[in-house]
Amino acid sequence: MKKFIALFLALVMVFALCACGSQPAAPAEPAAPAEPAAPAEPAAPAEPAAPAEPAAPAEPTVITNPDEIPDDMTAEDGKYQVAFITDVGQLKDKSFNQGTYDGVKLFAANNNLAYKYYQPANGDAATDDDRYDAMKAACENGAQVVVAAGFMQATALQKAAEEFTDVMFIFIDGWDLGLANVAGIYFAEEQPGYLAGYAAVKDGYTKLGFCGGGGGTNPACIRYGWGFVQGADAAAKELDVNIEINYSWEYGASFSASPELQTMAAGWYANGTEVIFACGGSMFQSIVAAAAANDGAVIGVDVDQSFESDTVITSAMKGLAASVQWACAKVYDGTWAEIGGNGTGTSLGAKDGAVGLPTATWSLEGWTVEAYEAMLADMASGVLVVDNNSEMAAPASTDNTTVNIIGG
């Protein structure tokens, strides 16, 4: 808190009164002539002023808001040191692509590096050749580090990394490819998925839905969904209630919004589903539209999506922007070998502060931030272990939880 001090100036006026006598004053004696003044000693020359010390350079400004950084930039020499290859879907998907690119922009802008994004040709129908062409263009345009988003980049990334061995490749939602210049970074999505499912049931929802991207083949979305069911089931057991979950990979293969997906979600809401976990990039837009039209609720994914719609009650998040900045820094600080070609890839989860639910926009009433933080701490310490089987695209029902697999 700032303290403000008011300064007051007191002005004191002193008036001298002169008294006059009734008798005329005697004439004054003439003053004796003044002795001539001694000549003044010449003043010593002033010492020359010392030159001012140069001002210390200002601390560099650190940008923390990626929205302050333009998506497009122009490099004076046409070279871009940090490149981003998008996953399917839109760059500004308010989810996976955007969260990853935010990390690229923040790292580059705060380190005076030029950056550029490359979208593979043919959009959602992009092939491995399309992705390779985008990576090749990035490398030929001066990339020192290429950040590739999404598991579908693997084949193209392998080819590009073998060809451009002096470029470092960061494979987000990927794995180790056996190359020294490739770092696979992936997340324990089952943990924020668990937290989101648990939070929803604690908040009173008993009819839930999960719409996943990637058609049931994307390990990250599978982990999100698998954790979501585990968390919801744990809360149901704790509260001794029965819950129901509609679970589907339909209309999510491309991670894109579509009329078909919106129609399916609207049907779920109309038939009693109260909240849907929208787990797949731009799919969020279709599910939010259905929720808004049917007084339903939504759980966001990857980043805090509450800013996009009032229907969002929480979001299962992973630290995309932070992890990209952390990995990019290792290209330049001499520690790349810690993550590049390490044989396993690097998994980030609760123990690394890399996953969780947003607390700044907390709106849940049935579960407190304090209780959430205690559960997250248990995850971080290993007291609470969430199954991370990324092959379980179709979780089974339990005594308290009925899982309805929709479309397969």
Short mmCIF file of all heavy atoms in Angstrom, two decimals, residues 261-308:
data_model
loop_
_atom_site.label_atom_id
_atom_site.label_comp_id
_atom_site.label_asym_id
_atom_site.label_seq_id
_atom_site.Cartn_x
_atom_site.Cartn_y
_atom_site.Cartn_z
N LEU A 261 -20.29 -31.93 -34.84
CA LEU A 261 -19.91 -31.99 -33.43
C LEU A 261 -20.85 -31.14 -32.59
O LEU A 261 -21.28 -31.56 -31.50
CB LEU A 261 -18.46 -31.50 -33.25
CG LEU A 261 -17.95 -31.41 -31.81
CD1 LEU A 261 -17.99 -32.77 -31.12
CD2 LEU A 261 -16.53 -30.84 -31.79
N GLN A 262 -21.19 -29.96 -33.07
CA GLN A 262 -22.11 -29.10 -32.33
C GLN A 262 -23.47 -29.76 -32.16
O GLN A 262 -24.08 -29.69 -31.08
CB GLN A 262 -22.26 -27.75 -33.03
CG GLN A 262 -23.13 -26.77 -32.26
CD GLN A 262 -23.15 -25.39 -32.88
OE1 GLN A 262 -22.19 -25.00 -33.56
NE2 GLN A 262 -24.20 -24.64 -32.65
N THR A 263 -23.94 -30.43 -33.21
CA THR A 263 -25.22 -31.12 -33.13
C THR A 263 -25.18 -32.24 -32.11
O THR A 263 -26.13 -32.42 -31.33
CB THR A 263 -25.60 -31.68 -34.51
OG1 THR A 263 -25.75 -30.59 -35.44
CG2 THR A 263 -26.92 -32.45 -34.45
N MET A 264 -24.09 -33.03 -32.11
CA MET A 264 -23.97 -34.10 -31.14
C MET A 264 -23.97 -33.56 -29.71
O MET A 264 -24.67 -34.07 -28.83
CB MET A 264 -22.71 -34.92 -31.38
CG MET A 264 -22.59 -36.14 -30.46
SD MET A 264 -21.07 -37.11 -30.68
CE MET A 264 -19.88 -36.07 -29.80
N ALA A 265 -23.16 -32.52 -29.47
CA ALA A 265 -23.08 -31.94 -28.12
C ALA A 265 -24.42 -31.36 -27.70
O ALA A 265 -24.83 -31.51 -26.54
CB ALA A 265 -22.00 -30.87 -28.08
N ALA A 266 -25.11 -30.72 -28.63
CA ALA A 266 -26.43 -30.15 -28.31
C ALA A 266 -27.40 -31.26 -27.91
O ALA A 266 -28.22 -31.08 -26.99
CB ALA A 266 -26.96 -29.37 -29.50
N GLY A 267 -27.31 -32.40 -28.60
CA GLY A 267 -28.16 -33.53 -28.24
C GLY A 267 -27.87 -34.07 -26.85
O GLY A 267 -28.78 -34.43 -26.10
N TRP A 268 -26.57 -34.11 -26.50
CA TRP A 268 -26.20 -34.54 -25.15
C TRP A 268 -26.82 -33.62 -24.11
O TRP A 268 -27.42 -34.09 -23.13
CB TRP A 268 -24.68 -34.56 -24.99
CG TRP A 268 -23.96 -35.65 -25.71
CD1 TRP A 268 -24.48 -36.51 -26.64
CD2 TRP A 268 -22.59 -36.01 -25.54
NE1 TRP A 268 -23.50 -37.38 -27.07
CE2 TRP A 268 -22.33 -37.09 -26.41
CE3 TRP A 268 -21.55 -35.52 -24.76
CZ2 TRP A 268 -21.07 -37.69 -26.51
CZ3 TRP A 268 -20.29 -36.11 -24.85
CH2 TRP A 268 -20.06 -37.19 -25.72
N TYR A 269 -26.64 -32.32 -24.31
CA TYR A 269 -27.19 -31.36 -23.35
C TYR A 269 -28.71 -31.49 -23.25
O TYR A 269 -29.28 -31.47 -22.14
CB TYR A 269 -26.81 -29.94 -23.74
CG TYR A 269 -25.37 -29.56 -23.47
CD1 TYR A 269 -24.54 -29.12 -24.50
CD2 TYR A 269 -24.84 -29.61 -22.18
CE1 TYR A 269 -23.22 -28.74 -24.26
CE2 TYR A 269 -23.52 -29.24 -21.93
CZ TYR A 269 -22.72 -28.81 -22.97
OH TYR A 269 -21.41 -28.45 -22.73
N ALA A 270 -29.36 -31.62 -24.39
CA ALA A 270 -30.82 -31.73 -24.39
C ALA A 270 -31.30 -32.97 -23.64
O ALA A 270 -32.41 -32.98 -23.08
CB ALA A 270 -31.33 -31.75 -25.83
N ASN A 271 -30.48 -34.01 -23.63
CA ASN A 271 -30.85 -35.26 -22.96
C ASN A 271 -30.31 -35.37 -21.54
O ASN A 271 -30.30 -36.46 -20.96
CB ASN A 271 -30.37 -36.45 -23.80
CG ASN A 271 -31.19 -36.63 -25.08
OD1 ASN A 271 -32.41 -36.50 -25.04
ND2 ASN A 271 -30.53 -36.90 -26.18
N GLY A 272 -29.84 -34.27 -20.98
CA GLY A 272 -29.51 -34.27 -19.56
C GLY A 272 -28.05 -34.08 -19.20
O GLY A 272 -27.72 -33.87 -18.01
N THR A 273 -27.12 -34.15 -20.18
CA THR A 273 -25.71 -33.91 -19.86
C THR A 273 -25.55 -32.47 -19.35
O THR A 273 -26.07 -31.53 -19.95
CB THR A 273 -24.81 -34.13 -21.09
OG1 THR A 273 -24.90 -35.50 -21.47
CG2 THR A 273 -23.37 -33.79 -20.80
N GLU A 274 -24.84 -32.33 -18.25
CA GLU A 274 -24.71 -31.00 -17.63
C GLU A 274 -23.42 -30.29 -17.99
O GLU A 274 -23.38 -29.05 -18.05
CB GLU A 274 -24.80 -31.17 -16.11
CG GLU A 274 -26.10 -31.79 -15.63
CD GLU A 274 -25.99 -32.35 -14.23
OE1 GLU A 274 -25.00 -33.05 -13.92
OE2 GLU A 274 -26.91 -32.07 -13.42
N VAL A 275 -22.35 -31.04 -18.16
CA VAL A 275 -21.05 -30.43 -18.44
C VAL A 275 -20.25 -31.35 -19.36
O VAL A 275 -20.30 -32.58 -19.19
CB VAL A 275 -20.27 -30.15 -17.13
CG1 VAL A 275 -20.04 -31.42 -16.33
CG2 VAL A 275 -18.94 -29.45 -17.41
N ILE A 276 -19.56 -30.79 -20.34
CA ILE A 276 -18.76 -31.56 -21.29
C ILE A 276 -17.32 -31.08 -21.25
O ILE A 276 -17.05 -29.87 -21.31
CB ILE A 276 -19.31 -31.43 -22.74
CG1 ILE A 276 -20.71 -32.02 -22.83
CG2 ILE A 276 -18.37 -32.13 -23.74
CD1 ILE A 276 -21.36 -31.83 -24.21
N PHE A 277 -16.39 -32.02 -21.15
CA PHE A 277 -14.96 -31.75 -21.25
C PHE A 277 -14.63 -31.67 -22.74
O PHE A 277 -14.63 -32.67 -23.44
CB PHE A 277 -14.18 -32.86 -20.56
CG PHE A 277 -12.68 -32.68 -20.51
CD1 PHE A 277 -12.06 -31.49 -20.86
CD2 PHE A 277 -11.88 -33.73 -20.08
CE1 PHE A 277 -10.68 -31.33 -20.79
CE2 PHE A 277 -10.50 -33.60 -20.00
CZ PHE A 277 -9.90 -32.40 -20.37
N ALA A 278 -14.33 -30.46 -23.23
CA ALA A 278 -14.03 -30.22 -24.64
C ALA A 278 -12.53 -30.39 -24.84
O ALA A 278 -11.76 -29.46 -24.68
CB ALA A 278 -14.47 -28.82 -25.05
N CYS A 279 -12.10 -31.58 -25.21
CA CYS A 279 -10.68 -31.93 -25.21
C CYS A 279 -10.15 -32.05 -26.63
O CYS A 279 -9.98 -33.15 -27.15
CB CYS A 279 -10.48 -33.24 -24.44
SG CYS A 279 -8.78 -33.72 -24.22
N GLY A 280 -9.90 -30.90 -27.26
CA GLY A 280 -9.37 -30.99 -28.62
C GLY A 280 -9.39 -29.70 -29.40
O GLY A 280 -10.19 -29.55 -30.33
N GLY A 281 -8.51 -28.76 -29.08
CA GLY A 281 -8.31 -27.57 -29.91
C GLY A 281 -9.59 -26.83 -30.25
O GLY A 281 -10.38 -26.47 -29.37
N SER A 282 -9.81 -26.64 -31.54
CA SER A 282 -10.95 -25.84 -32.00
C SER A 282 -12.29 -26.54 -31.82
O SER A 282 -13.34 -25.92 -32.05
CB SER A 282 -10.75 -25.46 -33.47
OG SER A 282 -9.61 -24.64 -33.63
N MET A 283 -12.29 -27.81 -31.41
CA MET A 283 -13.55 -28.47 -31.06
C MET A 283 -14.28 -27.69 -29.99
O MET A 283 -15.51 -27.73 -29.90
CB MET A 283 -13.26 -29.89 -30.55
CG MET A 283 -12.68 -30.83 -31.59
SD MET A 283 -12.10 -32.38 -30.84
CE MET A 283 -13.63 -33.07 -30.22
N PHE A 284 -13.52 -26.98 -29.17
CA PHE A 284 -14.06 -26.16 -28.09
C PHE A 284 -15.16 -25.23 -28.60
O PHE A 284 -16.20 -25.04 -27.93
CB PHE A 284 -12.91 -25.36 -27.48
CG PHE A 284 -13.30 -24.33 -26.47
CD1 PHE A 284 -13.55 -24.69 -25.15
CD2 PHE A 284 -13.40 -22.98 -26.81
CE1 PHE A 284 -13.88 -23.73 -24.20
CE2 PHE A 284 -13.73 -22.03 -25.87
CZ PHE A 284 -13.97 -22.40 -24.56
N GLN A 285 -14.98 -24.66 -29.78
CA GLN A 285 -15.94 -23.68 -30.30
C GLN A 285 -17.31 -24.31 -30.53
O GLN A 285 -18.34 -23.71 -30.21
CB GLN A 285 -15.39 -23.07 -31.59
CG GLN A 285 -14.10 -22.30 -31.39
CD GLN A 285 -13.37 -22.01 -32.70
OE1 GLN A 285 -13.92 -22.22 -33.78
NE2 GLN A 285 -12.14 -21.56 -32.60
N SER A 286 -17.33 -25.53 -31.07
CA SER A 286 -18.61 -26.20 -31.32
C SER A 286 -19.31 -26.57 -30.01
O SER A 286 -20.53 -26.45 -29.88
CB SER A 286 -18.39 -27.47 -32.16
OG SER A 286 -17.93 -27.15 -33.44
N ILE A 287 -18.54 -27.03 -29.05
CA ILE A 287 -19.13 -27.47 -27.79
C ILE A 287 -19.62 -26.27 -26.98
O ILE A 287 -20.68 -26.32 -26.35
CB ILE A 287 -18.12 -28.33 -27.01
CG1 ILE A 287 -17.86 -29.62 -27.81
CG2 ILE A 287 -18.63 -28.66 -25.62
CD1 ILE A 287 -16.72 -30.46 -27.30
N VAL A 288 -18.88 -25.17 -27.00
CA VAL A 288 -19.33 -23.96 -26.31
C VAL A 288 -20.62 -23.44 -26.93
O VAL A 288 -21.53 -23.00 -26.22
CB VAL A 288 -18.22 -22.89 -26.34
CG1 VAL A 288 -18.79 -21.51 -26.08
CG2 VAL A 288 -17.16 -23.20 -25.30
N ALA A 289 -20.71 -23.49 -28.26
CA ALA A 289 -21.92 -23.02 -28.93
C ALA A 289 -23.13 -23.87 -28.50
O ALA A 289 -24.22 -23.34 -28.24
CB ALA A 289 -21.75 -23.08 -30.45
N ALA A 290 -22.93 -25.19 -28.41
CA ALA A 290 -24.01 -26.06 -27.96
C ALA A 290 -24.37 -25.80 -26.51
O ALA A 290 -25.56 -25.79 -26.14
CB ALA A 290 -23.60 -27.52 -28.16
N ALA A 291 -23.36 -25.57 -25.67
CA ALA A 291 -23.61 -25.30 -24.25
C ALA A 291 -24.38 -24.01 -24.07
O ALA A 291 -25.34 -23.93 -23.28
CB ALA A 291 -22.29 -25.24 -23.49
N ALA A 292 -23.99 -22.96 -24.80
CA ALA A 292 -24.64 -21.67 -24.67
C ALA A 292 -26.11 -21.74 -25.07
O ALA A 292 -26.96 -21.06 -24.48
CB ALA A 292 -23.91 -20.63 -25.51
N ALA A 293 -26.41 -22.58 -26.06
CA ALA A 293 -27.79 -22.69 -26.54
C ALA A 293 -28.64 -23.59 -25.66
O ALA A 293 -29.88 -23.58 -25.78
CB ALA A 293 -27.79 -23.23 -27.97
N ASN A 294 -28.00 -24.36 -24.77
CA ASN A 294 -28.75 -25.33 -23.96
C ASN A 294 -28.51 -25.17 -22.46
O ASN A 294 -28.79 -26.10 -21.69
CB ASN A 294 -28.37 -26.74 -24.39
CG ASN A 294 -28.86 -27.09 -25.78
OD1 ASN A 294 -29.98 -27.55 -25.95
ND2 ASN A 294 -28.00 -26.88 -26.78
N ASP A 295 -28.01 -24.01 -22.05
CA ASP A 295 -27.75 -23.74 -20.64
C ASP A 295 -26.85 -24.81 -20.03
O ASP A 295 -27.07 -25.26 -18.90
CB ASP A 295 -29.07 -23.65 -19.87
CG ASP A 295 -28.91 -22.98 -18.50
OD1 ASP A 295 -27.96 -22.18 -18.36
OD2 ASP A 295 -29.70 -23.28 -17.59
N GLY A 296 -25.84 -25.21 -20.80
CA GLY A 296 -24.90 -26.23 -20.33
C GLY A 296 -23.59 -25.62 -19.88
O GLY A 296 -23.35 -24.42 -20.01
N ALA A 297 -22.70 -26.48 -19.37
CA ALA A 297 -21.39 -26.04 -18.90
C ALA A 297 -20.30 -26.78 -19.67
O ALA A 297 -20.54 -27.84 -20.26
CB ALA A 297 -21.24 -26.30 -17.41
N VAL A 298 -19.08 -26.21 -19.65
CA VAL A 298 -17.95 -26.73 -20.42
C VAL A 298 -16.71 -26.74 -19.54
O VAL A 298 -16.52 -25.84 -18.71
CB VAL A 298 -17.70 -25.87 -21.68
CG1 VAL A 298 -16.47 -26.36 -22.45
CG2 VAL A 298 -18.93 -25.88 -22.59
N ILE A 299 -15.86 -27.75 -19.74
CA ILE A 299 -14.52 -27.78 -19.17
C ILE A 299 -13.53 -27.58 -20.30
O ILE A 299 -13.57 -28.30 -21.30
CB ILE A 299 -14.26 -29.11 -18.44
CG1 ILE A 299 -15.18 -29.23 -17.22
CG2 ILE A 299 -12.80 -29.23 -18.03
CD1 ILE A 299 -15.16 -30.59 -16.57
N GLY A 300 -12.66 -26.59 -20.18
CA GLY A 300 -11.68 -26.29 -21.22
C GLY A 300 -10.45 -27.17 -21.11
O GLY A 300 -10.32 -27.97 -20.19
N VAL A 301 -9.54 -26.99 -22.08
CA VAL A 301 -8.36 -27.85 -22.13
C VAL A 301 -7.11 -27.06 -22.50
O VAL A 301 -7.20 -26.05 -23.22
CB VAL A 301 -8.57 -29.02 -23.12
CG1 VAL A 301 -8.50 -28.53 -24.57
CG2 VAL A 301 -7.59 -30.16 -22.88
N ASP A 302 -5.98 -27.51 -22.01
CA ASP A 302 -4.64 -27.01 -22.33
C ASP A 302 -4.32 -25.66 -21.69
O ASP A 302 -3.26 -25.48 -21.10
CB ASP A 302 -4.39 -26.93 -23.84
CG ASP A 302 -4.22 -28.30 -24.49
OD1 ASP A 302 -3.94 -29.27 -23.76
OD2 ASP A 302 -4.38 -28.40 -25.72
N VAL A 303 -5.22 -24.68 -21.86
CA VAL A 303 -5.02 -23.35 -21.27
C VAL A 303 -6.32 -22.95 -20.57
O VAL A 303 -7.35 -23.61 -20.73
CB VAL A 303 -4.65 -22.31 -22.35
CG1 VAL A 303 -3.34 -22.67 -23.02
CG2 VAL A 303 -5.76 -22.16 -23.39
N ASP A 304 -6.29 -21.88 -19.80
CA ASP A 304 -7.49 -21.38 -19.15
C ASP A 304 -8.42 -20.79 -20.21
O ASP A 304 -8.15 -19.72 -20.76
CB ASP A 304 -7.12 -20.32 -18.10
CG ASP A 304 -8.33 -19.81 -17.32
OD1 ASP A 304 -9.46 -20.27 -17.59
OD2 ASP A 304 -8.13 -18.96 -16.42
N GLN A 305 -9.51 -21.48 -20.49
CA GLN A 305 -10.42 -21.04 -21.55
C GLN A 305 -11.64 -20.29 -21.01
O GLN A 305 -12.57 -20.00 -21.77
CB GLN A 305 -10.85 -22.25 -22.40
CG GLN A 305 -9.69 -22.87 -23.16
CD GLN A 305 -10.11 -23.94 -24.16
OE1 GLN A 305 -10.77 -24.91 -23.81
NE2 GLN A 305 -9.74 -23.75 -25.41
N SER A 306 -11.61 -19.95 -19.73
CA SER A 306 -12.76 -19.25 -19.16
C SER A 306 -12.94 -17.86 -19.77
O SER A 306 -14.04 -17.31 -19.73
CB SER A 306 -12.60 -19.13 -17.64
OG SER A 306 -11.47 -18.34 -17.31
N PHE A 307 -11.86 -17.32 -20.34
CA PHE A 307 -11.96 -16.00 -20.96
C PHE A 307 -12.75 -16.05 -22.26
O PHE A 307 -13.16 -15.00 -22.78
CB PHE A 307 -10.56 -15.44 -21.23
CG PHE A 307 -9.72 -15.31 -19.99
CD1 PHE A 307 -8.75 -16.25 -19.69
CD2 PHE A 307 -9.91 -14.26 -19.11
CE1 PHE A 307 -7.97 -16.14 -18.55
CE2 PHE A 307 -9.13 -14.14 -17.96
CZ PHE A 307 -8.16 -15.08 -17.68
N GLU A 308 -12.96 -17.23 -22.80
CA GLU A 308 -13.62 -17.38 -24.10
C GLU A 308 -15.12 -17.55 -23.99
O GLU A 308 -15.84 -17.32 -24.96
CB GLU A 308 -13.03 -18.57 -24.86
CG GLU A 308 -11.52 -18.56 -24.98
CD GLU A 308 -11.00 -17.27 -25.57
OE1 GLU A 308 -11.60 -16.78 -26.55
OE2 GLU A 308 -10.01 -16.73 -25.05
#
